[in-house]
Amino acid sequence: MFITLEGIEGSGKTTQAKYVVELLQSKGHDCVLTREPGGTKIGEKIRAILLDPMSKKMNPLTELLLYNADRAQHIHELIHPLLSDGKTVICDRYYDATVVYQGFARGLDFGIINNLHKLIAKDLKPDITILLDLPTEIGLSRAWKQIKNGKRTGVETRFEEETLSFHEKVRSGYLKLARLEAERFRIIDASKNEKQVQKEIKRTLSAGLKLN
Ligand code: TMP
């Protein structure tokens, strides 16, 4: 099974992804947690280029191709072999992030985004996508607090430095995708505290996966 987590900056995805692993492991799933960009040695190098605030001059098409390069390696080296082996893969961001950030927010052509995805991923789609949704101002202020407290690395702030309107487009893009694919998406109110969000995730996964 393939489960992804998505959301704007500061939505708590990374913390909640760890919770999803704990929850599913306690129900007998053999889980592997991974992330995009990153997840492989090559991917982590691509991640460093993508998120470096010094990469300000990056052309949107370069950005799109680098995210796809990262994903091509990730699917080939990690996700596909794990799924073939019967493992449950929990991934902190995947293709929906490309549609939303490079499509809705940067304005790149959805046809190009889609064709690139078909080339690298064939028909690999998450079974369930948890969308952690919250108002953009709250998410961004949480993200900056974590960066200032040193909980998140200060060399990965290129996207946090984008305008509020960029992040509004990201949030509304995710909500549009969730409406289009209501079967796959589970929208969780991430403005609540960590424990309440966990409770909501447990409720929705228990129903969807028939966990007891
Ligand atoms: P994160 O580890 O905090 O989620 O950071 C990854 C950043 O990369 C985040 O700002 C979203 C962005 N991103 C894209 O723009 N496109 C993508 O395809 C992915 C996976 C992430």
Side-chain angles (χ1 to χ4, degrees):
M1 188 170 29
F2 185 28
I3 299 179
T4 57
L5 287 97
E6 300 281 356
I8 61 165
E9 321 304 319
S11 57
K13 275 178 308 89
T14 307
T15 309
Q16 296 301 345
K18 290 182 193 140
Y19 171 70
V20 172
V21 171
E22 277 169 32
L23 174 70
L24 294 182
Q25 264 167 352
S26 75
K27 305 289 178 190
H29 286 254
D30 194 351
C31 296
V32 176
L33 175 61
T34 185
R35 67 172 179 179
E36 287 192 1
T40 64
K41 273 192 179 160
I42 293 170
E44 290 298 327
K45 287 186 183 169
I46 298 174
R47 178 182 176 96
I49 300 170
L50 277 164
L51 305 189
D52 186 346
M54 301 297 277
S55 303
K56 268 205 171 65
K57 279 194 193 154
M58 191 181 292
N59 179 306
L61 263 179
T62 310
E63 184 178 281
L64 174 68
L65 292 169
L66 284 175
Y67 277 111
N68 276 281
D70 166 65
R71 189 162 302 127
Q73 186 65 29
H74 197 203
I75 291 171
H76 170 79
E77 190 182 323
L78 201 76
I79 302 178
H80 193 59
L82 287 171
L83 292 174
S84 302
D85 212 20
K87 303 269 195 294
T88 294
V89 177
I90 319 289
C91 192
D92 184 344
R93 293 198 195 277
Y94 183 63
Y95 171 63
D96 297 308
T98 307
V99 177
V100 164
Y101 281 81
Q102 281 64 55
F104 286 108
R106 291 264 190 253
L108 291 178
D109 184 89
F110 289 106
I112 295 177
I113 293 175
N114 203 10
N115 283 338
L116 276 171
H117 186 61
K118 277 195 200 133
L119 176 72
I120 63 154
K122 315 280 181 307
D123 53 0
L124 178 62
K125 218 177 198 188
D127 298 290
I128 293 181
T129 297
I130 296 171
L131 172 59
L132 295 170
D133 178 61
L134 80 172
T136 315
E137 293 89 342
I138 303 179
L140 278 181
S141 88
R142 281 187 189 171
W144 277 108
K145 213 184 226 168
Q146 288 172 345
I147 290 163
K148 287 188 180 128
N149 289 342
K151 280 196 187 151
R152 289 183 49 195
T153 164
V155 293
E156 291 193 346
T157 55
R158 190 166 68 93
F159 282 89
E160 283 79 357
E161 289 175 19
E162 287 288 346
T163 60
L164 190 61
S165 85
F166 177 90
H167 292 285
E168 295 285 6
K169 285 181 200 159
V170 171
R171 183 186 184 201
S172 69
Y174 271 130
L175 290 170
K176 274 182 207 153
L177 291 188
R179 272 196 297 276
L180 283 174
E181 279 192 74
E183 277 287 295
R184 171 165 69 90
F185 276 89
R186 307 284 189 280
I187 305 177
I188 304 280
D189 178 358
S191 65
K192 296 187 176 152
N193 71 39
E194 192 180 319
K195 290 281 167 222
Q196 286 170 314
V197 173
Q198 284 182 357
K199 220 169 141 187
E200 214 21 55
I201 290 178
K202 186 173 183 181
R203 196 190 55 74
T204 189
L205 285 184
S206 298
L209 302 175
K210 304 201 171 42
L211 304 173
N212 44 37

